[in-house]
Amino acid sequence: MQPIDYKEYIEFNPEIRFGKPVIKGTRISVYDVLQWLASGLTHDEILSDFPQLTPPHIFACLAYAANKERIIKVA
């Protein structure tokens, strides 16, 4: 499987959700998706509840979080 380029699926727009990263074309934030996963929802449950999302959207959120974790600097 090819690594997903989260920039294809995630955008920052100061007019949407105060500039938080969101899935392009939606108001669903990366945080929302990560929180649902952390709460135990499966990919299928998320996709069923939010039909505008696709599996690559979920993987893009995970890739975004992984990248953010990678670049955090320890003081």
Side-chain angles (χ1 to χ4, degrees), residues 13 24 28 49 60 64 73:
N13 182 336
K24 287 183 179 181
I28 299 171
D49 289 346
Y64 174 84
K73 305 240 188 248

Side-chain angles (χ1 to χ4, degrees), residues 3 8 13-14 18-19 24-25 28 42 49 51 54 60-63 67-68 71 74:
E8 292 181 33
N13 182 336
F18 304 101
K24 287 183 179 181
I28 299 171
T42 66
D49 289 346
T54 64
C61 291
L62 292 169
N67 184 62
K68 189 166 179 136
I71 61 174
V74 177

